[in-house]
Structures are given as structure tokens and as C-alpha cells.
Amino acid sequence: MPVQKDTYLSLSGLLKSKRVTLVAVSKTKPVPDIEEMYAMGQRDFGENYVQELVEKQALLPTDIQWHFIGHLQSNKVKYIAPFVHMIHGVDSLKLLQTINRQGAMQNRKISCLLQVHIAVEETKFGLDKTELMNLLQEISGEHPLEHVQICGLMGMASFSDDPQKVRAEFKKLKSLFDDVKEKFFYHDDQFSVLSMGMSGDYTIAIEEGSTMVRIGSLLFGSR
Ligand SMILES: *Cc1c(COP(=O)(O)O)cnc(C)c1O
């Protein structure tokens, strides 16, 4: 399917007016499709396989901000550490420590979002509330991770036809975001990103406080 230009233009305008960042999810889509969207002004793109991201990054303009939105294995961090703009799916201390080490080697601070498990039914990756709080407690101790910037939280709602269910899950994530902000990042303006909402549920996500949506099929056509 071709790039959905009209949808892109109206959606990006709408999101800009609401100060919500649009991450165009280009996974499985070819480089020319990304170039087409780049030409319309899009700069934030999301990928969820390391190898695919590395290959595309090498072929595309350097001012693209690449978001890694998949499940990241520690042994693959090194491939994206030199250039990645934000890693969305961080769900363990071990992974954070690896990102920190790789950030140090690249002499940069890597922006990360902690992934929270909000979907009631599906088993998806992510931390539950207790795990999230424990992780934050550990990294706010005596040995801060100096090459990691925790910028916020990320979550995925259930794939469900029931909008009330999806809304409840996003509400839960927003309330967790507010709690975490108050407890751990009160004086940290960088903790400001709530990444929630995809093609099927971004409207609800924005109503519930999302600041960043990750949208693929609506813009690039179905996969
Ligand atoms: C694929 C993917 C998206 C985009 O999904 P669409 O339904 O195509 O918009 C968003 N977030 C994550 C984590 C994904 O893997």
C-alpha cells in the first residue's frame, strides 16, 4: 500500500496543535516510503527490529530521529547506541545498565522510556507497578546511570473492540506517570513523555494524556 499522504497531513497537523509528538512507525516498510514521508516534513520514525533499523538508518538522512519501539535485547544495544534518539521499551535494570555502558562508550546520554504492562488480558512485555517503582528506587540511589536519561513511560493497551477497556488502561498509565513524576522526577523537566496510542487507539490515548503516539498502519498502509 502507498503512503497515506492526506492522512499524514491532517494527522500531523492535528497532533501539532495538541503538542503531541508523532512517531511514524515504519517497520517492514521500504526506504522510499520513509523518504516520501520525510519529504512531507516528518522527522520522528519508529522501528522495532534492530537489524532493520540499522540498515535503514545508514541509507536515510541523518536528521531523522529514530525511536526504537520493540523489545530490545541487551546484546543488541551496541548496534543502535551510536545514533538512536529514544528507546521506548526498557523493562529491566539489566537493560538500563547495558544502555548506560553503551552510552558511556559513545559519550552520549541515551533517552529511554520505561515500558509498563497495562493490558489486562494479553501478556505483553513491560513492568507492573511494583516492578516499576522498585526499578526507579534502585536507579535513584547512590549510583545514578549517567548516560541514560529517563524521559517517561510507554505502554500498549489491549487489542480490544471495547473502547472503555482501552480507556481504563490508558487512564491507569497516566495516573502511574503522574505518581512517578511526583515521587522521582519532580525537579526533572526531562521526565515529560507519555508514549501511548497506536493507529487503532490514538484518539483515546490523547484524550487520556498521551504526549507521544506511535502510528504505523494508518500512515503507511497495513503490513
Ligand atoms: C507496530 C507498533 C506500533 C504501530 O502500530 P499500528 O497499529 O500500525 O499503528 C506502535 N507501537 C509499537 C510498540 C509497535 O510495535
Short mmCIF file of all heavy atoms in Angstrom, two decimals, residues 25 27 48 69 154 156 198-200 214-218 223, ligand 1:
data_model
loop_
_atom_site.label_atom_id
_atom_site.label_comp_id
_atom_site.label_asym_id
_atom_site.label_seq_id
_atom_site.Cartn_x
_atom_site.Cartn_y
_atom_site.Cartn_z
N VAL A 25 5.63 4.93 12.55
CA VAL A 25 6.19 3.58 12.70
C VAL A 25 6.37 2.94 11.33
O VAL A 25 5.40 2.56 10.67
CB VAL A 25 5.30 2.72 13.62
CG1 VAL A 25 5.84 1.29 13.69
CG2 VAL A 25 5.24 3.33 15.01
N LYS A 27 8.23 0.22 10.49
CA LYS A 27 8.70 -1.18 10.46
C LYS A 27 8.12 -1.93 9.27
O LYS A 27 6.94 -1.74 8.94
CB LYS A 27 8.32 -1.88 11.77
CG LYS A 27 6.82 -1.98 12.01
CD LYS A 27 6.53 -2.51 13.41
CE LYS A 27 5.04 -2.68 13.62
NZ LYS A 27 4.67 -2.79 15.03
N ASN A 48 11.06 -1.52 15.11
CA ASN A 48 11.14 -2.44 16.24
C ASN A 48 12.04 -3.66 16.04
O ASN A 48 12.02 -4.57 16.86
CB ASN A 48 9.76 -2.81 16.77
CG ASN A 48 8.98 -3.66 15.80
OD1 ASN A 48 9.36 -3.73 14.63
ND2 ASN A 48 7.93 -4.30 16.26
N ILE A 69 11.19 0.98 19.22
CA ILE A 69 9.95 0.73 19.95
C ILE A 69 9.71 -0.75 20.23
O ILE A 69 8.70 -1.12 20.79
CB ILE A 69 8.73 1.31 19.20
CG1 ILE A 69 8.57 0.64 17.83
CG2 ILE A 69 8.87 2.83 19.03
CD1 ILE A 69 7.27 1.02 17.14
N MET A 154 6.08 4.30 28.65
CA MET A 154 5.46 3.83 27.43
C MET A 154 4.56 2.64 27.76
O MET A 154 4.87 1.87 28.67
CB MET A 154 6.55 3.39 26.45
CG MET A 154 6.07 2.85 25.12
SD MET A 154 5.80 1.08 25.09
CE MET A 154 6.35 0.70 23.44
N MET A 156 1.23 -0.14 26.02
CA MET A 156 0.31 -0.56 24.96
C MET A 156 -0.96 -1.10 25.59
O MET A 156 -0.90 -1.96 26.47
CB MET A 156 0.95 -1.67 24.13
CG MET A 156 2.07 -1.19 23.23
SD MET A 156 3.07 -2.57 22.63
CE MET A 156 2.14 -3.01 21.17
N MET A 198 -1.72 4.02 19.33
CA MET A 198 -1.33 3.49 18.03
C MET A 198 -2.46 3.80 17.04
O MET A 198 -3.39 4.52 17.37
CB MET A 198 -1.07 1.97 18.14
CG MET A 198 -0.05 1.67 19.22
SD MET A 198 0.16 -0.05 19.76
CE MET A 198 0.03 -1.01 18.27
N SER A 199 -2.37 3.22 15.84
CA SER A 199 -3.37 3.55 14.81
C SER A 199 -4.81 3.37 15.32
O SER A 199 -5.68 4.19 15.04
CB SER A 199 -3.18 2.68 13.57
OG SER A 199 -1.99 3.04 12.90
N GLY A 200 -5.04 2.29 16.07
CA GLY A 200 -6.41 1.97 16.44
C GLY A 200 -6.92 2.68 17.68
O GLY A 200 -8.14 2.68 17.93
N ARG A 214 2.53 6.44 18.56
CA ARG A 214 3.34 5.63 17.64
C ARG A 214 2.38 5.05 16.60
O ARG A 214 1.63 4.13 16.89
CB ARG A 214 4.04 4.50 18.40
CG ARG A 214 4.80 4.97 19.66
CD ARG A 214 5.32 3.77 20.43
NE ARG A 214 4.29 2.78 20.69
CZ ARG A 214 3.47 2.78 21.74
NH1 ARG A 214 3.58 3.70 22.68
NH2 ARG A 214 2.55 1.85 21.87
N ILE A 215 2.41 5.62 15.39
CA ILE A 215 1.39 5.25 14.41
C ILE A 215 2.02 4.69 13.14
O ILE A 215 2.85 5.35 12.51
CB ILE A 215 0.49 6.46 14.11
CG1 ILE A 215 -0.22 6.85 15.41
CG2 ILE A 215 -0.51 6.13 13.01
CD1 ILE A 215 -1.29 7.88 15.27
N GLY A 216 1.62 3.47 12.79
CA GLY A 216 2.16 2.81 11.61
C GLY A 216 1.15 2.67 10.50
O GLY A 216 1.14 3.42 9.53
N SER A 217 0.25 1.68 10.64
CA SER A 217 -0.60 1.28 9.51
C SER A 217 -1.49 2.41 8.98
O SER A 217 -1.76 2.47 7.78
CB SER A 217 -1.45 0.07 9.89
OG SER A 217 -1.96 0.19 11.18
N LEU A 218 -1.89 3.30 9.82
CA LEU A 218 -2.72 4.42 9.37
C LEU A 218 -1.97 5.30 8.36
O LEU A 218 -2.57 5.88 7.46
CB LEU A 218 -3.11 5.26 10.60
CG LEU A 218 -4.38 6.09 10.56
CD1 LEU A 218 -5.59 5.23 10.30
CD2 LEU A 218 -4.55 6.83 11.89
N ARG A 223 0.30 -3.71 7.20
CA ARG A 223 1.53 -4.50 6.99
C ARG A 223 1.20 -5.92 6.56
O ARG A 223 0.24 -6.47 7.01
CB ARG A 223 2.36 -4.53 8.28
CG ARG A 223 3.01 -3.20 8.59
CD ARG A 223 3.79 -3.27 9.89
NE ARG A 223 2.93 -3.50 11.03
CZ ARG A 223 2.32 -2.53 11.74
NH1 ARG A 223 2.51 -1.28 11.41
NH2 ARG A 223 1.56 -2.83 12.75
C1 LIG B 1 3.87 -1.70 15.31
C2 LIG B 1 3.84 -0.88 16.54
C3 LIG B 1 3.11 0.32 16.57
C4 LIG B 1 2.27 0.83 15.42
O1 LIG B 1 1.16 0.04 15.22
P1 LIG B 1 -0.02 0.45 14.20
O2 LIG B 1 -1.19 -0.27 14.70
O3 LIG B 1 0.43 0.02 12.86
O4 LIG B 1 -0.17 1.93 14.28
C5 LIG B 1 3.16 1.06 17.74
N1 LIG B 1 3.86 0.65 18.82
C6 LIG B 1 4.58 -0.49 18.80
C7 LIG B 1 5.33 -0.88 20.03
C8 LIG B 1 4.58 -1.30 17.68
O5 LIG B 1 5.29 -2.44 17.68
#
